[in-house]
Amino acid sequence: ASHELRSPLNAIIGFSSILLRSISGSLNEKQEAQTSSILRSGKYLLTLINNIMDVSQVETGRMACSNEEFLVGDVINEVLDISREPISQKNLDLTVDVPDIVMFSDRQRLIQCLHNLVNNAIKYTEEGAIAIRARTFDEGDGKSLVEIVVEDTGIGIAEEDIPDIFTPFSRIDSHLKGDVEGAGLGLFLVHKLVTEMLGGRIDVESKPEEGSRFSLLLPRWNSDDCSTPADLQSEVPN
C-alpha cells in the first residue's frame, strides 16, 4: 500500500523538479509559480504519507530498531543539509553548539526526530534565531545521557496547550496557522519515536511570542530492542 501511494507522488515530485530546472525548456513566470506549487504540495503529501506509515508501524510494533555507533554532530549536519536553505530564506540566525559525542542508538530515527523539530522551528519562527545544542551528562547509576536541544524565537506555545502538541492531528492555535503546512503528526511521531524506539523522553519549555525549547534526553548507549555489543562501551571514547 505504501508503495502504491509513494510511487505516483515521487513521479510528480521528480517531473516537477525537472520542469523547474528548465531541462525540457524554459517556463514563464506563471508556469514556474504553478510548477513550484505542484512540487511543494507533492513534497508535503509525501511527508504526510511517510508520517502516517511510520505512526502505524510504531503503534503496531512493526518498526524495526537499527542501532549503530555514530557522532551526534554528523547527525545534526545531515539534518541541516536539508534545513539550511529555508533557514537562510527566512534570514534566521543559526547557532550550532555540538561537541564530539559518540552515541550508540538508532541513527535514522534520531535524524527523523531532529528533522521534525528543526522543521517546526523554521515554520513557526518569522524572525530571530534557531539554536541546536548537545551535551552529555550522568543521570546516576552509571547511566550516561545525551541532551539535544532545538530552540527558537518563534511564536511559542501557551502553557495550557503544551500537553496537546503530542496528540495526533493537533495544531497549536496561532496567527500563522492558516499559512503553515502541517497535519499535526510530526510531534506525535517524534514523541513516539523518542519514548518507544530511542528509550528517552522529550521536554518542552515555551512562552507565547518568545519561543520554544524542545529537549531530547536520550541514553547514550541504547540497547532497547537491539543487541548492544558487549565490549562497545569499553571501546568507544568518552
Side-chain angles (χ1 to χ4, degrees), residues 76 95-99 131-135 147-151:
I76 290 172
T95 299
V96 180
D97 182 10
V98 181
I132 304 172
R133 300 183 175 90
R135 68 183 181 107
E147 180 184 38
I148 305 174
V149 173
V150 177
E151 194 169 6

Side-chain angles (χ1 to χ4, degrees), residues 47 79 82-83 110-120:
T47 299
V79 172
I82 301 171
S83 304
L110 179 56
I111 288 173
Q112 192 172 2
C113 290
L114 290 173
H115 176 70
N116 269 295
L117 293 180
V118 173
N119 188 47
N120 271 3

Side-chain angles (χ1 to χ4, degrees), residues 16-63:
S16 299
S17 298
I18 289 172
L19 288 171
L20 286 173
R21 292 200 300 269
S22 301
I23 293 175
S24 301
S26 299
L27 303 177
N28 61 40
E29 187 175 339
K30 185 175 182 180
Q31 290 170 331
E32 186 173 332
Q34 291 169 338
T35 306
S36 295
S37 180
I38 293 170
L39 179 60
R40 188 167 55 251
S41 298
K43 287 182 175 179
Y44 166 67
L45 283 174
L46 185 59
T47 299
L48 179 59
I49 289 170
N50 287 337
N51 282 343
I52 291 172
M53 294 296 179
D54 286 341
V55 167
S56 175
Q57 285 189 322
V58 172
E59 293 198 318
T60 57
R62 291 185 292 110
M63 181 171 282

